[in-house]
Amino acid sequence: MTKKITLLPGDGIGPEVIESAVNVIKHVAEKFGIQFEFETRLIGGISYDTYGTPLTDETLQTCYDSDAVLLGAVGGYKWEELPHHLKPEAALLKLRKSLGLFANIRPAKIYSSLVDSSSLKKEVINGTDFVVFRELTGGIYFGEPRGYDNDKGWNTMIYTRPEIERIAKLAFETAQRRKGTLTSVDKANVLEVSQLWRKVVAETAKNYPDVELSNMYVDNAAMQIVKDPKQFDVILTSNLFGDILSDISGMITGSLGMLPSASLGTRYSLYEPVHGSAPDIAGKGIANPIAAIASAAMMFEHSFEMGKASELIIESIEKALKQGLRTSDIAQKGDKVVTTQDLTKAIIGNFDLIYNEQALGVFTL
Ligand code: NAD
């Protein structure tokens, strides 16, 4: 059956990195014998310039009609003075809300050939490979009442049982496919909302006896991530804590150009690099495509249940890095600096090599 993917390249380097990701997806599809149909729509500044709004109803409908959405990035200097609701970034918030994307997933994986680029010591960072599940549509960012007056400001951190259960289930299922450990991060020593969080997570854990659950306070978690990141496998946390912890986790493992993300809902899913539209390098053909390609790998895993394809893509990226190929954002003295296209071609070439090696392995069994 043909699967439909909506492409939203957006602004700046968005179209450049999405082109790379699509080339990889097409290649994987051919190898694995599956069919994808792509539909490309405008989003962000380019949509504003064309239609007078950063997100049209037609674009949204195309997303509703698809099996997965792959987004590049939005924004740029040109649109900075627009009113809030017309800014390119407003499209992202509307899209995430309309698609009901309640779980944001960000892997923190160090590629062995980039250990020297980390801000942490080699022996601390080497081998780090965990994933942060951040609740995305609830908690203090959305809770009512909220506001401020001259003398006080207030927000409400609120979670309901179903909101906690649905993201906990996703995180436990992922832990089952990984190393089988899950750390739930909260502030249950101070916040009642965290006490409910902890209780519901513990109850959910009973359905996953093969996953080992532990709890950690958020202040300790922040410390542990920089002290000993290897101890983590899956981190599950709320919107506010996840916002902070996923940024720390991402940055200790590499540059912005390397970091993929997935946002999942009950029916829809969106995949996007963590970085923005990088207007300073747009159009030069030098953007790092790895974040977008790794986002496509997450799409294979979470939307199409093709974990093997996902693994092969990540291995192909790792191999290209081991071959010394770098875009300028991750290059160090002595590295071979290549273009977006060259790095993409190398990753596709590596995919073929690894795929063929593994196929031969099967035949010789
Ligand atoms: P940015 O992520 O676009 O760029 C920050 C720095 O990282 C720049 O020097 C850029 O050149 C570099 N960089 C980012 N991605 C790279 C890549 N793939 N390869 C090589 N270098 C890369 O953040 P910014 O400069 O703060 O924001 C630029 C615009 O992007 C703004 O309009 C902002 O609102 C928007 N933005 C959009 C998203 C999104 O679409 N999800 C996220 C963040 C920022």
Side-chain angles (χ1 to χ4, degrees):
M1 206 175 81
T2 304
K3 299 280 184 192
K4 271 186 79 172
I5 301 175
T6 298
L7 302 174
L8 304 175
D11 307 315
I13 61 167
E16 301 167 44
V17 297
I18 289 301
E19 187 185 331
S20 292
V22 170
N23 286 339
V24 173
I25 295 169
K26 284 182 176 162
H27 198 78
V28 173
E30 202 183 301
K31 286 276 170 200
F32 279 74
I34 43 164
Q35 299 275 329
F36 286 118
E37 191 183 308
F38 297 96
E39 187 148 355
T40 304
R41 294 275 168 182
L42 302 184
I43 192 169
I46 187 161
S47 172
Y48 173 78
D49 286 350
T50 313
Y51 305 115
T53 169
L55 180 67
T56 63
D57 290 344
E58 289 73 27
T59 298
L60 200 51
Q61 190 56 49
T62 308
C63 296
Y64 287 142
D65 294 339
S66 61
D67 296 292
V69 180
L70 185 62
L71 183 132
V74 298
Y77 313 128
K78 189 178 168 190
W79 303 286
E80 270 169 10
E81 300 306 320
L82 286 173
H84 187 68
H85 70 289
L86 293 177
K87 278 200 163 79
E89 292 77 4
L92 289 184
L93 298 181
K94 186 170 172 197
L95 191 62
R96 288 172 187 155
K97 205 171 159 105
S98 307
L99 299 180
L101 306 174
F102 62 82
N104 181 250
I105 309 173
R106 285 221 218 149
K109 174 183 163 62
I110 185 81
Y111 291 98
S112 57
S113 38
L114 288 186
V115 280
D116 290 326
S117 322
S118 172
S119 49
L120 296 185
K121 283 187 203 127
K122 203 172 172 170
E123 56 274 23
V124 174
I125 192 72
N126 209 1
T128 295
D129 181 4
F130 67 94
V131 54
V132 179
F133 275 70
R134 166 191 171 193
E135 201 288 329
L136 202 60
T137 52
I140 199 163
Y141 291 170
F142 294 92
E144 297 285 349
R146 60 191 300 155
Y148 72 98
D149 60 25
N150 223 9
D151 303 311
K152 62 177 192 290
W154 61 95
N155 287 93
T156 305
M157 191 160 176
I158 181 164
Y159 270 112
T160 61
R161 175 176 282 273
E163 281 177 324
I164 303 167
E165 272 169 358
R166 63 185 183 181
I167 187 159
K169 275 186 199 159
L170 276 183
F172 275 106
E173 283 163 14
T174 300
Q176 279 182 319
R177 293 197 299 270
R178 293 175 51 100
K179 287 172 255 167
T181 62
L182 186 147
T183 310
S184 177
V185 173
D186 60 38
K187 191 71 184 167
N189 49 344
V190 180
L191 302 173
E192 284 80 359
V193 59
S194 282
Q195 286 167 17
L196 177 72
W197 179 279
R198 198 172 269 218
K199 184 170 183 278
V200 175
V201 172
E203 286 168 17
T204 310
K206 291 188 185 135
N207 299 323
Y208 303 89
D210 47 343
V211 177
E212 191 188 323
L213 168 68
S214 61
N215 296 290
M216 200 176 267
Y217 297 135
V218 61
D219 39 352
N220 186 27
M223 204 166 70
Q224 294 297 332
I225 287 171
V226 290
K227 186 174 165 228
D228 178 20
K230 282 196 278 283
Q231 68 183 287
F232 295 107
D233 179 18
V234 175
I235 291 179
L236 164 66
T237 193
S238 59
N239 203 343
L240 171 65
F241 302 153
D243 192 1
I244 300 158
L245 294 185
S246 57
D247 268 18
I248 303 176
S249 310
M251 280 319 294
I252 58 169
T253 58
S255 109
L256 263 178
M258 308 282 299
L259 304 174
S261 81
S263 299
L264 310 183
T266 313
R267 162 74 183 84
Y268 305 106
S269 49
L270 172 91
Y271 302 87
E272 58 180 321
V274 168
H275 61 73
S277 60
D280 52 333
I281 58 163
K284 296 185 180 163
I286 58 169
N288 187 341
I290 291 178
I293 294 172
S295 299
M298 293 186 83
M299 183 179 75
F300 278 110
E301 181 187 350
H302 293 286
S303 284
F304 304 128
E305 290 176 3
M306 292 176 63
K308 188 68 200 167
S310 177
E311 267 172 41
L312 290 185
I313 294 171
I314 299 299
E315 281 177 40
S316 312
I317 293 172
E318 174 108 56
K319 195 172 172 75
L321 294 170
K322 281 193 181 137
Q323 288 159 340
L325 305 177
R326 306 271 191 280
T327 41
S328 51
D329 57 312
I330 50 170
Q332 293 194 335
K333 224 172 142 195
D335 285 332
K336 183 164 182 225
V337 177
V338 295
T339 63
T340 310
Q341 274 195 1
D342 288 342
L343 185 51
T344 307
K345 275 187 203 147
I347 291 169
I348 291 174
N350 289 339
F351 187 92
D352 281 347
L353 280 175
I354 299 169
Y355 182 91
N356 290 340
E357 268 167 27
Q358 299 202 356
L360 279 178
V362 172
F363 289 130
T364 52
L365 275 179

